[in-house]
């Protein structure tokens, strides 16, 4: 999908570019802060660049960086990154019917490039998954849109993150990049809170993270995610409407 020149000429490609461009500044601020944080934590330039290119997951990187710097056990680092990125399992399950007609290589590239806001914009524009009756032109439009929005997301993040890595030692800490990153994360979170159950999940996870703040190695993050998931699994059955008839 991301190697088909014909998609660049599709109107939906440029619509995807415009949609992501509207939030690219926040993504770039988050990427810049993450790049600076990696170097400030003691990573070499090579390690920071490799993590940026291979991991491409800002929240997981920010969660793992202090653990790596403090010498935390590998299992703690991996468990934290896994929990932080659990949302991508949900994203992948939802996007599966949209991309299953593509070759494996293109599905893998799509999975790597799809991030929070690119998923949000795509799901908002195409809320109904394709089926056997979906015309090929609609499938092409979806591919073009996803390529445009993922491309801008990737460039904004990678460009700013690499600049942050390159300039980490000359960017003053008092610039408040951490606060910019928090604002970017809040923007992502609020864009995903689209149902009462998700509002409950945000409240429960936030409260649990505060209560468990004293835990070492940032384990309060893991606790917050686990508590929110368990509570929502218990609450969700009661929110389903019974079938009519």
């Amino acid at each position: 999908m991301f190697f088909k020149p014909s998609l660049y000429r599709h109107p939906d490609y440029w619509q995807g570019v415009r949609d992501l461009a509207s939030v690219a500044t926040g993504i770039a601020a988050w990427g810049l802060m993450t790049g600076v944080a990696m170097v400030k934590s003691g990573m070499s330039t090579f390690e920071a660049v490799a993590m940026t290119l291979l991991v491409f997951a800002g929240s997981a990187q920010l969660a793992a960086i202090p653990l790596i710097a403090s010498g935390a056990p590998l299992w703690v680092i991996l468990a934290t990154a896994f929990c932080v990125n659990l949302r991508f399992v949900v994203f992948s399950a939802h996007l599966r019917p949209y991309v299953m007609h593509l070759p494996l290589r293109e599905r893998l590239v799509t999975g790597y490039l799809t991030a929070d806001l690119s998923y949000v914009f795509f799901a908002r524009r195409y809320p109904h998954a394709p089926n056997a009756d979906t015309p090929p032109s609609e499938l092409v439009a979806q591919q073009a849109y996803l390529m445009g929005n993922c491309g801008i997301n990737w460039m904004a993040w990678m460009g700013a993150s690499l600049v942050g890595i390159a300039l980490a030692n000359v960017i003053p800490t008092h610039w408040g990049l951490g606060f910019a990153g928090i604002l970017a994360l809040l923007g992502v979170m609020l864009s995903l809170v689209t149902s009462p159950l998700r509002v409950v999940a945000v409240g429960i996870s936030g409260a649990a993270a505060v209560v468990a703040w004293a835990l070492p190695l940032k384990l309060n993050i893991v606790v917050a995610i686990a508590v929110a998931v368990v509570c929502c699994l218990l609450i969700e059955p009661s929110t389903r409407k019974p079938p009519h008839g």
Side-chain angles (χ1 to χ4, degrees), residues 9-243:
R9 297 187 291 271
H10 197 285
D12 281 62
Y13 170 82
W14 293 107
Q15 185 61 51
V17 168
R18 288 191 292 272
D19 286 349
L20 245 294
S22 66
V23 295
T25 302
I27 293 171
W30 188 9
L32 180 68
M33 184 270 294
T34 303
V36 172
M38 285 189 290
V39 176
K40 295 286 189 182
S41 70
M43 283 187 175
S44 67
T45 300
F46 174 80
E47 290 169 337
V49 170
M51 189 177 195
T52 294
L53 295 175
L54 298 177
V55 177
F56 183 45
S59 53
Q61 289 173 241
L62 291 175
I65 288 169
L67 299 177
I68 295 172
S70 65
L74 180 60
W75 72 267
V76 173
I77 299 171
L78 293 177
T80 301
F82 175 79
C83 289
V84 169
N85 275 350
L86 272 177
R87 67 193 186 281
F88 286 104
V89 176
V90 179
F91 295 172
S92 298
H94 181 236
L95 288 177
R96 186 177 187 275
Y98 292 90
V99 299
M100 279 307 295
H101 64 284
L102 299 174
L104 176 61
R105 181 186 68 171
E106 294 185 21
R107 297 202 304 271
L108 291 174
V109 174
T110 300
Y112 166 72
L113 291 176
T114 302
D116 296 275
L117 289 178
S118 54
Y119 166 78
V120 169
F121 280 108
F122 181 83
R124 186 179 298 166
R125 184 169 179 83
Y126 301 104
H128 303 295
N131 52 46
D133 298 325
T134 302
S137 59
E138 177 68 11
L139 297 178
V140 172
Q142 292 173 4
Q143 295 172 38
Y145 183 86
L146 190 59
M147 183 172 74
N149 98 8
C150 284
I152 292 297
N153 185 89
W154 189 87
M155 288 190 291
W157 169 267
M158 286 296 173
S161 187
L162 293 174
V163 168
I165 292 169
L167 302 180
N169 293 321
V170 298
I171 294 179
T173 306
H174 67 265
W175 277 16
L177 291 172
F179 182 65
I182 291 171
L183 291 178
L185 284 169
L186 284 173
V188 171
M189 181 188 72
L190 293 175
S191 67
L192 296 172
V193 181
T194 56
S195 69
L197 188 61
R198 292 180 181 180
V199 173
V200 171
V202 169
I204 291 174
S205 60
V210 173
V211 171
W213 178 259
L215 290 177
L217 303 177
K218 303 289 184 179
L219 287 174
N220 63 312
I221 298 174
V222 178
V223 170
I225 294 170
V227 170
V229 169
V230 170
C231 289
C232 288
L233 287 175
L234 294 174
I235 295 171
E236 185 180 17
S238 65
T239 64
R240 296 174 183 166
K241 296 180 179 179

